[in-house]
Amino acid sequence: MRRPRLALDPADALALLGAASHVNLAWVGPDGRPGLRALHVAVLPGPPPTVVFHGSEVGEKQALLGRRVVLQAEEVLATIPSTFTDPERACPATTYYQSVQAEGVAEEVVAPEAKAAALEALMGRFQPQGGHVPIEAHHPLYAKAVAGVQVVAVPLTQLSGKANLGQAKPIEVRRAIIEGLWRRGLPRDPEVIERLRAATDRDPAPPTFFAPSGVTLHAWAPPSDADVVAAHLADAYWNSSFSQDDLRRAHLASAAWVVGRDAEGLCATARAISDDTKHAWIYDVWVHPRARGRGVATALMALLLDHPRLRGAAKIHLGTRDAQPLYRKLGFEEREVARFTHMERAGALRPEPSLRALKTVSEP
Ligand SMILES: CC(C)(COP(=O)(O)OP(=O)(O)OC[C@H]1O[C@@H](n2cnc3c(N)ncnc32)[C@H](O)[C@@H]1OP(=O)(O)O)[C@@H](O)C(=O)NCCC(=O)NCCS
């Protein structure tokens, strides 16, 4: 019996199935023998939502067709060592994960158009960058292949998902686990902390997440927030040579990206790149005008400096034109760089205008 507090929303369960690196499919054949395969699948939205895959992935397709099958996928979010909450006993060791299970009857897809659509959905899932001629049933490139390949569909009659994020644990245990994750700092731990915090309406964050009243600070933001941040930062004087899309990608590729939220939404952001050991560089510190002058930037910077990707760096750098008082309060000092000449050039994908011109001239 699944406890309701662990149930995933059906849309989230379907998204998990659609994003899984592979899906396990199990069935019992006509001779009573069980079968189990790991498959690459695509999920067609439906209704009903339908899982599709190549017949060749299964091999024993005749045993499968017309039979009720079970599909399952999971995503491990974090392993939680017992020592986060108990110095001696092994019992609290656990894994936080989310999983999805679905059922339906496997059927062969026969119509060439439906086969082509299923195959194109698989391409979209596993080659999202495209680059190929879209698969169409009667296209000369594909007609023969579409006719020859076996495609199986499972229209889903049942779907359920669950997330084990320690929701049922007492708040002291949740706080200790969140603090343990923050100190451990594996690449996905900041995300898991935010998912744990979002899974309940309580907010047991470590002390460095402290924020002025009305604002909460977060050590990870969902990718959709990168668009919001990019739109705010595009007008900043230091970003004049970057597009909104550049800024979106820069945030998603940063080692650390922290944000603040208030009742109206995202109100503060800062990010850093880091080698974890020698140097980290902080960029794009910004607080919405409605939240300025209340210590939000100071609190956000304190969180960023304590981020697992920054706290191990011997030197943390930033450049600023006029906000030196903010950074001085956080221990930054002005440094003359006279011993060095600052040199730079454009990256390979961003040729200098002069280089571009040269290339054009030398081209036949
Ligand atoms: C700079 C910015 C991030 C500060 O945000 P904030 O939440 O208002 O900052 P805080 O309230 O934490 O201020 C901390 C201290 O820094 C000082 N400070 C903040 N911005 C400053 C600025 N532009 N110039 C001088 N001092 C500044 C404040 O006076 C405050 O000092 P106090 O506590 O002694 O009064 C915000 O004003 C902003 O987003 N500005 C536009 C973008 C920008 O300039 N970013 C910085 C690029 S390096």
Side-chain angles (χ1 to χ4, degrees):
M1 189 48 193
R2 287 173 183 223
R3 282 174 291 171
R5 64 155 60 90
L6 299 180
L8 273 187
D9 187 70
D12 289 342
L14 199 60
L16 182 59
L17 195 65
S21 62
H22 68 274
V23 167
N24 297 308
L25 172 121
W27 72 97
V28 177
D31 56 358
R33 291 191 59 180
L36 175 65
R37 290 289 178 277
L39 304 175
H40 293 117
V41 308
V43 178
L44 309 180
T50 298
V51 171
V52 291
F53 52 91
H54 281 273
S56 57
E57 291 241 25
V58 179
E60 301 134 333
K61 58 191 179 305
Q62 294 313 333
L64 183 74
L65 295 176
R67 306 202 73 82
R68 177 159 286 276
V69 301
V70 180
L71 296 142
Q72 183 274 348
E74 86 241 330
E75 183 185 15
V76 170
L77 300 170
T79 52
I80 308 295
S82 60
T83 48
F84 279 2
T85 50
D86 193 314
E88 293 175 341
R89 290 180 323 122
C91 312
T94 188
T95 300
Y96 285 168
Y97 64 91
Q98 51 187 2
S99 66
V100 56
Q101 190 167 309
E103 286 182 35
V105 173
E107 53 192 46
E108 185 162 4
V109 179
V110 181
E113 291 75 14
K115 286 170 86 174
L119 295 168
E120 185 57 21
L122 280 160
M123 289 301 290
R125 170 70 186 80
F126 293 102
Q127 189 176 301
Q129 73 278 21
H132 62 288
V133 175
I135 301 172
E136 285 168 14
H138 304 294
H139 193 287
L141 276 177
Y142 296 120
K144 208 168 152 196
V146 168
V149 73
Q150 204 95 34
V151 175
V152 178
V154 183
L156 301 182
T157 51
Q158 278 187 35
L159 175 75
S160 66
K162 78 174 194 175
N164 176 28
L165 289 163
Q167 297 96 322
K169 295 272 190 298
I171 188 145
E172 311 76 53
V173 173
R174 291 171 53 75
R175 178 175 290 120
I177 288 172
I178 286 179
E179 274 173 14
L181 289 167
W182 186 240
R183 287 296 127 213
R184 179 173 74 176
L186 291 178
R188 212 165 169 190
D189 286 345
E191 175 190 348
V192 175
I193 288 172
E194 295 305 335
R195 291 174 76 148
L196 289 172
R197 292 173 76 197
T200 67
D201 49 12
R202 294 164 299 180
D203 189 9
T208 45
F209 285 61
F210 171 82
S213 135
V215 175
T216 54
L217 300 186
H218 303 270
W220 173 87
S224 55
D225 274 353
D227 291 309
V228 178
V229 162
H232 286 307
L233 284 167
D235 293 336
Y237 66 83
W238 64 88
N239 282 328
S240 56
S241 52
F242 295 102
S243 69
Q244 271 194 36
D245 192 52
D246 290 335
L247 295 172
R248 182 185 66 79
R249 287 188 291 116
H251 280 77
L252 292 177
S254 292
W257 172 30
V258 294
V259 299
R261 298 185 199 287
D262 63 11
E264 290 178 53
L266 194 140
C267 69
T269 180
R271 69 181 182 93
I273 57 175
S274 172
D275 63 17
D276 292 1
T277 309
K278 287 175 69 178
H279 299 284
W281 271 90
I282 291 174
Y283 296 102
D284 291 322
V285 181
W286 177 87
V287 173
H288 194 284
R290 70 173 181 262
R292 285 181 194 167
R294 293 167 38 212
V296 173
T298 308
L300 190 68
M301 283 294 298
L303 175 63
L304 185 58
L305 292 169
D306 191 41
H307 190 286
R309 298 297 312 277
L310 272 77
R311 65 171 90 106
K315 288 211 172 137
I316 300 181
H317 311 263
L318 57 82
T320 184
R321 202 161 68 180
D322 51 17
Q324 293 86 343
L326 164 66
Y327 301 115
R328 267 190 224 114
K329 285 208 315 185
L330 291 153
F332 285 85
E333 295 170 3
E334 281 91 339
R335 281 272 177 269
E336 291 298 329
V337 286
R339 281 188 299 133
F340 305 100
T341 307
H342 178 148
M343 298 181 76
E344 68 172 40
R345 59 152 286 162
L349 293 177
R350 297 174 184 274
E352 298 273 18
S354 54
L355 290 179
R356 235 181 354 237
L358 255 177
K359 192 158 178 274
T360 316
V361 169
S362 64
E363 269 165 7

